[in-house]
Amino acid sequence: MASQQSPTQRAFGAGSNGKFDKPFSEQIKLFREKVLLPTEHYNDLLKSAHDRAFVVAGVMKADLLNDIHQALAKTMAEGKSIQWFRKEFASIVAKNGWGGVGTNAKRDWRARVIYRTNLSTAYAAGRWRQLNDPDLLKRRPYWKYVHNETVRHPRPLHQSWNGLVLRHDAPWWLTHYPPNGWGCRCRVVAVPASEYTGQTTPNDGYRTETDRFGNTHQVPNGIDFGWDYAPCASRSVELKTLIDEKLMRFPAALGAEMWKALKPALADENRKIWAETISAWIVKPEKPQQPLLDWRPGACRIGGIGSPK
């Protein structure tokens, strides 16, 4: 019998039955690289900050946060079910004494939200990296928005975007690349230029949302607050930028906990940047570099790295 695989399944190596039996390496790698940050509220960090940080609302203890992160990573690597994660989550909560989950029913609800949110955003990040592969973009430079018709309560605007085809570099994707909210199961597939029929970017308007710090945000209609970003698109943002833009606005106690978690990762990132910079100088020394310490006769000063005057 001929395979009934879709072009996407064929492109990404599904088995003859159309199923993806191998772990999604891009998804797992990007998820494991996240820095674990304590938070009090789900919108302490918004949008692309989640590309660099793993948070669970209300989790301030490092051990608890690490256990949840490890359980989710195992879920992705081994294809664990929601039932498995619920049991694991219950054990983690009991071991760490987290009283913020309430009743068993609320605990299972929290497990479900954590499970679906992290798996869907990590998957979307992995797919973003795949879809932007230069070889794939040469063959399929357009992306199509696909609404999942099996959801119980579909969002009207998500339904209206179903079948929309735009170039991969259209700015609309930076705010509307799914998932576009809690429980959203929409997705994007790469398509050849022949599928583009002249469609233009939808203009569905914006609304104003206010976060718990009193800051206002313009959010596209149809997108849940904090979800108007494309997972993985901003992973090049340095941790220092995350600290400068996000950390300083928090109350002192929370900011101190976040800084404690970020400091080792920031040091590692700085070492990596230096290593890459030095490697680039060795491979392609375009200009002589001035040392940090000016050792020339008669000079006794600390200088910055750059081209000598």
Side-chain angles (χ1 to χ4, degrees):
M1 181 182 294
S3 172
Q4 298 300 312
Q5 294 178 357
S6 68
T8 301
Q9 288 171 324
R10 291 195 297 271
F12 292 106
S16 60
N17 59 358
K19 295 181 179 180
F20 298 90
D21 296 322
K22 294 182 179 180
F24 189 3
S25 59
E26 287 90 346
Q27 175 193 31
I28 299 166
K29 181 177 184 296
L30 293 172
F31 182 76
R32 288 190 181 277
E33 288 175 351
K34 289 188 176 187
V35 177
L36 278 57
L37 284 185
T39 53
E40 291 179 342
H41 195 265
Y42 81 92
N43 64 13
D44 280 345
L45 295 180
L46 294 173
K47 302 195 291 187
S48 59
H50 291 281
D51 284 345
R52 301 303 309 271
F54 172 74
V55 301
V56 176
V59 175
M60 297 287 293
K61 295 173 60 177
D63 290 344
L64 172 58
L65 194 61
N66 181 67
D67 286 349
I68 297 173
H69 182 260
Q70 291 299 317
L72 286 167
K74 186 172 183 177
T75 296
M76 296 176 196
E78 300 180 14
K80 299 293 188 181
S81 67
I82 179 62
Q83 290 80 12
W84 178 89
F85 181 75
R86 277 179 173 152
K87 292 180 180 178
E88 192 71 8
F89 184 71
S91 298
I92 292 170
V93 168
K95 183 183 81 171
N96 290 277
W98 186 26
V101 293
T103 64
N104 288 345
K106 185 178 179 181
R107 183 195 63 206
D108 288 346
W109 172 81
R110 285 296 301 272
R112 181 171 175 268
V113 171
I114 293 169
Y115 177 90
R116 288 195 172 182
T117 300
N118 283 280
L119 263 66
S120 64
T121 53
Y123 177 84
R127 284 285 291 157
W128 176 275
R129 178 163 289 184
Q130 284 185 331
L131 290 167
N132 279 281
D133 179 86
D135 291 334
L136 181 61
L137 287 175
K138 289 178 183 178
R139 301 190 301 272
R140 294 171 176 261
Y142 285 81
W143 292 354
K144 178 191 290 186
Y145 192 100
V146 180
H147 177 261
N148 189 311
E149 300 297 336
T150 66
V151 295
R152 184 173 298 180
H153 303 290
R155 295 168 167 91
L157 280 177
H158 293 199
Q159 289 178 309
S160 73
W161 301 330
N162 186 46
L164 175 68
V165 176
L166 298 171
R167 268 190 61 89
H168 72 278
D169 53 2
W172 190 82
W173 293 118
L174 295 177
T175 52
H176 291 72
Y177 182 90
N180 286 318
W182 305 100
C184 174
R185 297 172 64 185
C186 299
R187 58 193 175 93
V188 168
V189 297
V191 297
S194 58
E195 289 202 29
Y196 178 64
T197 58
Q199 294 165 293
T200 58
T201 301
N203 182 8
D204 300 299
Y206 291 79
R207 68 186 188 281
T208 301
E209 297 278 1
T210 304
D211 64 28
R212 73 188 188 99
F213 302 102
N215 302 311
T216 58
H217 306 262
Q218 294 298 303
V219 182
N221 288 329
I223 311 293
D224 287 356
F225 180 39
W227 291 75
D228 50 328
Y229 76 104
C232 192
S234 300
R235 282 191 63 84
S236 60
V237 174
E238 296 179 3
L239 281 176
K240 185 179 183 301
T241 302
L242 175 62
I243 294 171
D244 292 343
E245 294 182 356
K246 307 292 182 182
L247 195 62
M248 298 307 293
R249 65 184 179 138
F250 293 128
L254 178 57
E257 286 294 325
M258 285 192 168
W259 170 244
K260 182 179 178 182
L262 278 170
K263 192 174 180 179
L266 180 60
D268 287 342
E269 184 163 284
N270 285 337
R271 281 193 291 268
K272 181 180 179 182
I273 291 172
W274 273 107
E276 291 175 348
T277 301
I278 293 172
S279 296
W281 290 345
I282 294 173
V283 173
K284 190 178 181 181
E286 295 181 353
K287 295 181 180 179
Q289 302 298 320
Q290 179 177 330
L292 284 171
L293 179 64
D294 192 339
W295 48 266
R296 292 174 297 179
C300 184
R301 64 182 177 84
I302 302 297
I305 289 183
S307 299
K309 295 179 180 179

